[in-house]
Amino acid sequence: LSDTITNTSTGVINVGTSSLRLSPIVGIYGNALNIINDGTMTVGSKSIGIYSNSADLSSEVRLGSTSTTTIGDEGTGIYKIGGIINVFGSLNVNGLLNVGTDATGTIGVYGENGVTINNNSPTTINIGDSSFGFVMAGTGNNSFNSLSGTSANLGTDSIYVYSNSTTGGLSNTITNNSTITSSGDRNIALYGAN
């Protein structure tokens, strides 16, 4: 068991396109305590950039300040079960999370079963059509937090933060300090169910 997996600032990971979303190609997979992407990651259609299934609730997946992550149609940037997801960035292209242009069902960050998602990126997150920026689902108490100074642009039929717990009695929380701009129609900034 490795404690940390790191894609360094000079690392480039190009994840191919999968024919089925249920059989994705994955860029980084593991149950390491920490997974860090400081480099460039391009995720193809129906694929996953980082998949983390560490059982440790202190485990972290981090998109560092020098990272650029671009996700294709129906792809997922990060898929994490439990633990912490931190998205950092800079005012340049660094740390940019581009969620598909005219994408269908693309997800920037997906967390479930007791995950904490923190958007700390001062670089605008671009969310394409019919796409999700951040999703919390499954069982467990999940939370989303965004810092003041963060921002997102929504295309059409898109959602910045989507929260839906499948188990009664549990709570998901959304604390938003982001500036969210909608350039199209039928967008939702924050969505909560159950």
Side-chain angles (χ1 to χ4, degrees), residues 32-184:
L33 186 60
N34 299 300
I35 298 176
I36 302 166
N37 177 34
D38 285 330
T40 300
M41 181 174 290
T42 302
V43 182
S45 177
K46 299 179 179 142
S47 293
I48 297 174
I50 299 172
Y51 185 100
S52 168
N53 62 351
S54 175
D56 191 326
L57 291 181
S58 67
S59 65
E60 179 193 23
V61 170
R62 183 189 323 151
L63 298 182
S65 61
T66 58
S67 69
T68 300
T69 304
T70 303
I71 306 152
D73 294 355
E74 298 183 68
T76 301
I78 297 174
Y79 190 116
K80 176 126 180 64
I81 301 171
I84 303 163
I85 301 169
N86 281 310
V87 178
F88 294 92
S90 72
L91 294 176
N92 298 317
V93 198
N94 303 326
L96 186 63
L97 180 62
N98 293 306
V99 183
T101 302
D102 298 324
T104 302
T106 305
I107 299 171
V109 173
Y110 178 97
E112 64 178 31
N113 301 357
V115 72
T116 297
I117 301 172
N118 299 308
N119 176 18
N120 308 297
S121 175
T123 305
T124 299
I125 293 175
N126 296 301
I127 303 169
D129 297 349
S130 304
S131 298
F132 301 85
F134 300 91
V135 174
M136 297 184 297
T139 61
N141 295 311
N142 304 301
S143 66
F144 171 86
N145 309 286
S146 63
L147 291 181
S148 177
T150 59
S151 60
N153 289 331
L154 303 179
T156 298
D157 292 316
S158 296
I159 299 175
Y160 176 52
V161 180
Y162 176 94
S163 171
N164 187 4
S165 176
T166 59
T167 303
L170 298 173
S171 65
N172 290 347
T173 60
I174 298 173
T175 304
N176 177 62
N177 290 292
S178 299
T179 300
I180 302 164
T181 303
S182 174
S183 60

